[in-house]
Amino acid sequence: MSHQLEKVKELIQLREKARLGGGLKRIESQHKKGKYTARERIAMLLDDGRFEEFDMFVTHRCTNFGIEKESYLGDGVVTGYGTIDGRLVYVYAQDFTVFGGSLSESLAMKICKVMDQAMKMGAPVIGINDSGGARTQEGVNALAGYTEIFQRNILASGVIPQISGIFGPCAGGAVYSPALTDFNIMTKGTSYMFLTGPKVVKTVTGEDVTQEQLGGASVHATKSGVAHFAVENEEEGITLIRKLIEFLPQNNMEEAPTLVCTDPIHRLEDSLNDIIPDNPNKPYDMDEVIGAIIDNGEFLEVHKDYARNIIVGFARFNGQSVGIVANQPKYLAGVLDSNAARKAARFVRFCDAFNIPLVTLVDVPGFLPGTGQEYGGVILHGAKLLYAFGEATVPKVTVTLRKSYGGAYCVMSSKHLRGDINYAWPTAEIAVMGPSGAVEVIFSKEVAASENPAEAAAQKEQEYRDAFANPYNAAKYGYIDDIIEPRNTRFRVIRALQQLQTKKLTNPAKKHDNLPL
Ligand code: HXC
């Protein structure tokens, strides 16, 4: 064998060794836990055969506690680039078979390299997390490595989409990288995220909790809002990431791809003319409205199980990617509270950063009153949503279906927050507050003094309803551009979005804003 052939053989052998990560036994143990390996995950995520790997020969440089005697090619993370539906993406997947995917300085530098490359090319970064946290033997070098990643997450925020899959442990400060990214997808039963684990919790607070109770996928998808999606298994998670990428542009200078629309744009949806119940206190399902007006009923809902009184997610109109924000009368009558405001504000800001138009569907009785909300800072959280809609410069189309009262009217992408096209259904009620509340405030003395207070209150409520609980008063001032037949909503929204395609609007120059955090 020639010298050159020997060298080639050596390379092939080294590659094979690197592909085995921490070895067959640990791969088997990973499979036994119902988890895929880093390489398997990347293979499922990217288009077939399109993965190009970086840094297969990187090893750790630590010499503490005898770890220098144990080292693996690639050092606990697989990094590189490939395509999803033909579009470039950068990826990294922590390899639990090597020191439990724990983060060394070298491992961090591999992640930083793909992030830097993604920023230069203007392409999304997808990270799959499955790690025991900072590599214990490395000390401060591991902390430095984490922080280098965080710094890159921060600079990439709003420039390229960043998506995190949490497919295993993600604990301690490690959680801050996913927290800084745009979307977190957690697998149920096999992933968890927390700052301090159950043992420390027990010591400090005396609380007895399991990992699942403390930071499992369900907890973060329903209670904390840390996870945008909780999926049954890794396959579902990977499919979801691919679907999500399809709705997004490559970076903040580009538009999201437009797909061929197979759903007639003139489709009338007669059911919408009869969806609003006669009783204003009766709910209906906003999901039905969304499903009826978007292309093919295909809605990718974000934060589905968190703050269900508001719905956010991606859909298409005539093939164009849009972000939908909609009050959900089915939950808490669609009221705005702190969690709903924070959820929607984050989504609106994401869409605005990445040139995705916003379609807002309004049916909101107002902000949730009470000490629970006030002590929790609903003023600040509500202001976040107000701020988000107000600063957004993407096309903004708003349809008011029924209630739009008080501060919630102002907040929900109103004309006064530079709403481009604001439609209302004839059932819309746009006023300072609902009729019964209004009568309480302005006619309580008169009602109390009357012979039949109940009848008097009902009469005053009707007067107030006739005067304000309709869209015509707002339309009179031009705050509503048109009152539309509900069954035409799809077509009217598509028309509006087409009209707004060349929209140009900028905000005043500033170092950065001071969003009420
Ligand atoms: C070095 C680690 C490691 C770590 C796991 N391993 N975590 N090596 N540093 N942090 C190694 C194990 O020694 C083992 O090696 C292999 O990975 C698999 O680990 P197991 O414990 O056998 O796996 P499992 O039973 O599934 O338990 C997984 C685990 C557990 C729950 C993650 O390993 C664990 O509790 N690890 C420590 C977690 C931790 O406290 N991390 C520090 C958090 S603080 P072998 O050779 O047997 O395969 C932090 C600060 C970051 O991260 C701050 C950033 C700003």
Side-chain angles (χ1 to χ4, degrees):
M1 194 185 288
S2 72
H3 183 61
Q4 189 178 2
L5 279 175
E6 262 177 37
K7 291 281 171 198
V8 171
K9 196 173 157 205
E10 184 190 19
L11 170 67
I12 292 167
Q13 280 168 349
L14 283 172
R15 282 185 173 284
E16 271 167 19
K17 197 172 162 200
R19 284 196 190 98
L20 284 178
L24 286 172
K25 244 175 112 180
R26 292 194 182 96
I27 291 176
E28 219 172 89
S29 151
Q30 177 84 343
H31 287 158
K32 271 197 195 132
K33 288 179 195 154
K35 302 198 300 185
Y36 287 102
T37 64
R39 281 201 164 70
E40 287 163 346
R41 287 165 176 164
I42 288 177
M44 286 194 287
L45 177 66
L46 301 178
D47 297 338
D48 278 349
R50 293 303 302 270
F51 179 49
E52 294 288 335
E53 189 167 344
F54 293 150
D55 291 337
M56 211 179 200
F57 305 107
V58 162
T59 52
H60 74 75
R61 291 175 282 189
C62 182
T63 53
N64 301 329
F65 302 108
I67 195 179
E68 67 275 15
K69 296 190 200 96
E70 190 181 359
S71 105
Y72 301 88
L73 293 178
D75 196 31
V77 69
V78 181
T79 61
Y81 66 95
T83 58
I84 290 182
D85 293 326
R87 298 163 70 215
L88 177 67
V89 294
Y90 287 83
V91 289
Y92 69 86
Q94 293 166 338
D95 182 354
F96 194 82
T97 69
V98 176
F99 300 115
S102 60
L103 189 125
S104 67
E105 184 195 21
S106 308
L107 189 156
M109 289 307 112
K110 283 184 68 172
I111 294 177
C112 290
K113 189 191 268 187
V114 281
M115 294 180 78
D116 291 343
Q117 197 80 353
M119 281 291 273
K120 277 189 275 183
M121 300 310 144
V125 176
I126 300 159
I128 308 288
N129 294 258
D130 184 2
S131 162
R135 190 162 308 161
T136 318
Q137 298 88 335
E138 292 235 355
V140 72
N141 289 352
L143 301 185
Y146 268 122
T147 319
E148 292 285 342
I149 296 171
F150 303 157
Q151 179 64 63
R152 282 163 177 80
N153 287 135
I154 293 161
L155 295 180
S157 181
V159 180
I160 51 173
Q162 302 181 81
I163 298 172
S164 302
I166 319 292
F167 289 0
C170 183
V175 296
Y176 282 119
S177 177
L180 290 166
T181 64
D182 299 306
F183 297 103
N184 290 327
I185 294 125
M186 293 184 74
T187 48
K188 290 184 192 165
T190 49
S191 72
Y192 51 85
M193 293 176 81
F194 38 67
L195 278 170
T196 46
K199 278 187 195 150
V200 178
V201 171
K202 173 79 184 161
T203 315
V204 178
T205 70
E207 244 180 318
D208 263 318
V209 278
T210 62
Q211 287 184 345
E212 188 61 30
Q213 288 166 334
L214 188 60
S218 302
V219 167
H220 286 309
T222 59
K223 288 186 174 23
S224 72
V226 168
H228 298 81
F229 304 95
V231 291
E232 294 301 328
N233 51 47
E234 292 186 24
E235 285 90 341
E236 197 188 312
I238 297 276
T239 307
L240 182 70
I241 295 173
R242 288 182 61 97
K243 215 165 144 193
L244 188 53
I245 284 282
E246 209 176 40
F247 281 103
L248 312 183
Q250 290 292 91
N251 56 61
N252 64 338
M253 304 301 282
E254 294 184 17
E255 305 277 328
T258 300
L259 304 192
V260 175
C261 177
T262 54
D263 190 355
I265 60 169
H266 295 93
R267 181 169 52 75
L268 294 180
E269 200 55 59
D270 288 329
S271 65
L272 296 184
N273 271 9
D274 199 25
I275 197 169
I276 304 286
D278 291 340
N279 179 347
N281 299 323
K282 243 183 113 183
Y284 60 94
D285 190 353
M286 186 63 89
D287 274 326
E288 282 179 31
V289 179
I290 295 170
I293 61 175
I294 61 177
D295 290 359
N296 304 111
E298 283 166 11
F299 184 48
L300 180 59
E301 189 168 351
V302 177
H303 266 145
K304 190 170 192 248
D305 299 314
Y306 179 74
R308 297 180 76 176
N309 35 330
I310 202 156
I311 301 170
V312 300
F314 298 102
R316 288 195 175 78
F317 281 99
N318 196 17
Q320 181 184 12
S321 183
V322 301
I324 298 219
V325 181
N327 310 112
Q328 171 56 293
K330 224 174 101 179
Y331 291 94
L332 298 172
V335 77
L336 278 177
D337 58 8
S338 297
N339 289 349
R342 280 195 307 120
K343 163 177 162 177
R346 177 111 174 115
F347 183 74
V348 166
R349 297 192 96 218
F350 175 83
C351 291
D352 187 49
F354 290 102
N355 312 316
I356 298 171
L358 290 161
V359 173
T360 305
L361 304 175
V362 183
D363 187 346
V364 60
F367 276 95
L368 185 63
T371 50
Q373 287 294 307
E374 296 289 357
Y375 294 176
V378 68
I379 296 173
L380 288 177
H381 299 305
K384 289 184 177 87
L385 184 55
L386 177 68
Y387 201 113
F389 272 125
E391 75 174 338
T393 56
V394 287
K396 292 187 279 195
V397 178
T398 307
V399 185
T400 302
L401 281 61
R402 188 170 61 171
K403 297 170 195 169
S404 185
Y405 288 133
Y409 158 76
C410 310
V411 167
M412 291 300 294
S413 200
S414 65
K415 192 51 123 187
H416 325 286
L417 295 177
R418 304 188 296 182
D420 295 300
I421 297 291
N422 291 65
Y423 290 137
W425 285 7
T427 40
E429 303 172 13
I430 302 171
V432 171
M433 60 178 76
S436 57
V439 168
E440 187 64 34
V441 172
I442 48 182
F443 299 119
S444 59
K445 280 190 195 139
E446 204 176 311
V447 165
S450 69
E451 274 178 24
N452 186 339
E455 206 174 274
Q459 192 192 330
K460 286 293 175 197
E461 270 181 39
Q462 194 53 46
E463 279 174 30
Y464 189 86
R465 186 169 287 118
D466 292 344
F468 292 120
N470 62 63
Y472 297 100
N473 210 36
K476 190 166 81 182
Y477 296 101
Y479 302 158
I480 291 294
D481 296 296
D482 199 5
I483 300 164
I484 64 173
E485 220 188 300
R487 65 183 190 147
N488 287 342
T489 305
R490 170 173 167 77
F491 179 61
R492 298 299 296 265
V493 170
I494 288 174
R495 269 280 171 83
L497 290 168
Q498 275 173 347
Q499 186 239 146
L500 294 167
Q501 254 165 15
T502 52
K503 178 179 175 187
K504 289 257 180 300
L505 183 65
T506 49
N507 290 329
K510 51 181 106 173
K511 184 176 175 191
H512 61 69
D513 57 42
N514 190 14
L515 178 79
L517 294 171

Coordinates of all heavy atoms in Angstrom, one line a residue, residues 171-204:
A171 N -29.7 21.6 32.2 CA -29.8 22.1 33.6 C -28.8 23.1 33.9 O -27.8 23.3 33.2 CB -29.7 20.9 34.5
G172 N -29.0 23.8 35.0 CA -28.1 24.9 35.4 C -28.1 26.0 34.4 O -29.1 26.2 33.7
G173 N -27.0 26.7 34.3 CA -26.9 27.9 33.4 C -27.1 27.5 32.0 O -27.4 28.3 31.1
A174 N -27.0 26.2 31.7 CA -27.2 25.7 30.3 C -28.5 26.1 29.7 O -28.7 26.2 28.5 CB -27.0 24.2 30.3
V175 N -29.5 26.3 30.6 CA -30.8 26.6 30.1 C -30.9 28.0 29.5 O -31.8 28.3 28.7 CB -31.9 26.6 31.3 CG1 -32.0 25.2 31.9 CG2 -31.5 27.6 32.4
Y176 N -29.9 28.8 29.7 CA -30.0 30.2 29.2 C -29.7 30.3 27.7 O -30.2 31.2 27.1 CB -29.1 31.1 30.0 CG -29.7 31.5 31.3 CD1 -29.1 31.1 32.5 CD2 -30.9 32.1 31.4 CE1 -29.7 31.4 33.7 CE2 -31.6 32.3 32.6 CZ -31.0 32.0 33.7 OH -31.6 32.3 34.9
S177 N -29.1 29.3 27.1 CA -28.9 29.4 25.7 C -30.3 29.2 25.0 O -30.8 30.0 24.3 CB -27.9 28.4 25.1 OG -27.9 28.5 23.7
P178 N -31.0 28.1 25.3 CA -32.3 27.9 24.8 C -33.3 29.1 25.1 O -34.0 29.5 24.3 CB -32.9 26.6 25.4 CG -31.6 25.9 25.8 CD -30.6 26.9 26.1
A179 N -33.1 29.6 26.3 CA -34.0 30.7 26.7 C -33.8 31.9 25.9 O -34.7 32.7 25.7 CB -33.8 31.1 28.2
L180 N -32.6 32.1 25.4 CA -32.3 33.3 24.5 C -32.7 33.0 23.1 O -32.7 34.0 22.3 CB -30.8 33.6 24.6 CG -30.2 34.1 25.9 CD1 -28.7 34.1 25.9 CD2 -30.7 35.6 26.1
T181 N -33.0 31.8 22.7 CA -33.3 31.5 21.3 C -34.8 31.8 21.1 O -35.6 32.0 22.0 CB -32.9 30.1 20.9 OG1 -33.7 29.1 21.7 CG2 -31.5 29.8 21.1
D182 N -35.2 31.7 19.8 CA -36.6 32.1 19.5 C -37.7 31.0 19.9 O -38.8 31.4 20.2 CB -36.7 32.4 18.0 CG -35.8 33.5 17.6 OD1 -35.9 34.6 18.2 OD2 -34.9 33.3 16.7
F183 N -37.3 29.7 19.7 CA -38.3 28.7 20.0 C -37.6 27.5 20.7 O -36.6 27.1 20.3 CB -38.9 28.2 18.6 CG -39.7 29.3 17.9 CD1 -39.1 29.9 16.8 CD2 -40.9 29.7 18.4 CE1 -39.8 30.9 16.2 CE2 -41.6 30.7 17.7 CZ -41.1 31.3 16.6
N184 N -38.3 27.0 21.7 CA -37.9 25.8 22.4 C -38.9 24.7 22.2 O -40.1 24.8 22.5 CB -37.8 26.0 23.9 CG -36.7 27.0 24.3 OD1 -35.6 27.0 23.6 ND2 -36.9 27.8 25.3
I185 N -38.3 23.5 21.8 CA -39.2 22.3 21.6 C -38.7 21.3 22.6 O -37.5 20.9 22.6 CB -39.1 21.8 20.2 CG1 -39.6 22.9 19.2 CG2 -39.8 20.5 20.0 CD1 -38.7 23.3 18.2
M186 N -39.6 20.8 23.5 CA -39.2 19.8 24.5 C -39.9 18.5 24.2 O -41.1 18.5 23.9 CB -39.5 20.3 25.9 CG -38.7 21.5 26.3 SD -39.0 22.0 28.0 CE -38.2 20.7 29.0
T187 N -39.2 17.4 24.4 CA -39.8 16.1 24.3 C -40.4 15.7 25.6 O -39.7 15.8 26.7 CB -38.8 15.0 23.8 OG1 -37.6 15.2 24.7 CG2 -38.4 15.2 22.4
K188 N -41.6 15.2 25.6 CA -42.3 14.7 26.8 C -41.6 13.5 27.4 O -41.4 12.5 26.7 CB -43.8 14.4 26.6 CG -44.6 15.7 26.3 CD -46.1 15.3 26.2 CE -46.8 16.5 25.6 NZ -48.2 16.1 25.1
G189 N -41.3 13.5 28.7 CA -40.8 12.3 29.4 C -39.3 12.1 29.3 O -38.7 11.5 30.2
T190 N -38.6 12.7 28.3 CA -37.2 12.5 28.2 C -36.4 13.8 28.3 O -35.2 13.8 28.4 CB -36.8 11.9 26.9 OG1 -37.5 12.6 25.8 CG2 -37.2 10.4 26.8
S191 N -37.1 14.9 28.4 CA -36.3 16.2 28.5 C -36.7 16.9 29.8 O -37.8 16.8 30.3 CB -36.5 17.1 27.3 OG -37.8 17.6 27.4
Y192 N -35.8 17.7 30.3 CA -36.1 18.6 31.4 C -35.2 19.8 31.4 O -34.1 19.7 31.0 CB -36.1 17.9 32.8 CG -34.9 17.1 33.1 CD1 -33.8 17.7 33.6 CD2 -34.8 15.7 32.8 CE1 -32.6 17.0 33.9 CE2 -33.6 15.0 33.1 CZ -32.6 15.7 33.7 OH -31.4 15.0 33.9
M193 N -35.7 20.9 31.9 CA -34.9 22.1 32.0 C -35.2 22.7 33.4 O -36.3 22.9 33.8 CB -35.4 23.2 31.0 CG -35.2 22.8 29.6 SD -35.9 24.1 28.5 CE -34.7 25.4 28.6
F194 N -34.1 23.0 34.2 CA -34.3 23.7 35.4 C -32.9 24.3 35.8 O -31.9 23.9 35.4 CB -34.8 22.9 36.6 CG -34.3 21.5 36.6 CD1 -33.0 21.2 36.9 CD2 -35.2 20.4 36.4 CE1 -32.5 19.9 37.0 CE2 -34.7 19.1 36.4 CZ -33.4 18.8 36.7
L195 N -33.0 25.4 36.6 CA -31.8 26.1 37.0 C -31.1 25.3 38.1 O -29.8 25.2 38.2 CB -32.1 27.5 37.6 CG -32.2 28.5 36.5 CD1 -32.8 29.8 37.1 CD2 -30.9 28.8 35.8
T196 N -31.9 24.7 39.0 CA -31.3 23.8 40.1 C -32.2 22.6 40.2 O -33.4 22.6 40.2 CB -31.3 24.6 41.4 OG1 -32.6 25.2 41.6 CG2 -30.2 25.6 41.5
G197 N -31.5 21.5 40.3 CA -32.2 20.2 40.3 C -32.9 19.9 41.6 O -32.8 20.6 42.6
P198 N -33.7 18.7 41.6 CA -34.5 18.4 42.8 C -33.7 18.3 44.1 O -34.2 18.7 45.1 CB -35.0 17.0 42.4 CG -35.0 17.0 40.9 CD -33.9 17.8 40.5
K199 N -32.4 17.9 44.0 CA -31.7 17.7 45.3 C -31.4 19.1 45.9 O -31.6 19.3 47.1 CB -30.3 17.0 45.0 CG -30.5 15.5 45.0 CD -29.1 14.9 44.9 CE -29.3 13.4 44.5 NZ -28.2 12.9 43.7
V200 N -31.0 20.1 45.1 CA -30.8 21.4 45.6 C -32.1 22.0 46.1 O -32.1 22.7 47.1 CB -30.1 22.3 44.5 CG1 -29.9 23.7 45.0 CG2 -28.8 21.7 44.1
V201 N -33.1 21.8 45.3 CA -34.4 22.3 45.7 C -34.8 21.8 47.1 O -35.3 22.6 48.0 CB -35.5 21.9 44.7 CG1 -36.9 22.3 45.2 CG2 -35.3 22.6 43.3
K202 N -34.6 20.5 47.3 CA -35.0 19.9 48.6 C -34.2 20.6 49.7 O -34.7 20.9 50.8 CB -34.7 18.4 48.5 CG -34.8 17.7 49.8 CD -36.3 17.4 50.1 CE -36.4 16.7 51.5 NZ -37.8 16.8 52.0
T203 N -32.9 20.8 49.5 CA -32.0 21.4 50.5 C -32.4 22.8 50.8 O -32.5 23.2 52.0 CB -30.5 21.4 50.0 OG1 -30.3 20.1 49.5 CG2 -29.6 21.7 51.1
V204 N -32.7 23.6 49.8 CA -32.9 25.0 50.0 C -34.3 25.3 50.4 O -34.6 26.1 51.3 CB -32.6 25.8 48.7 CG1 -32.9 27.3 48.8 CG2 -31.1 25.6 48.3

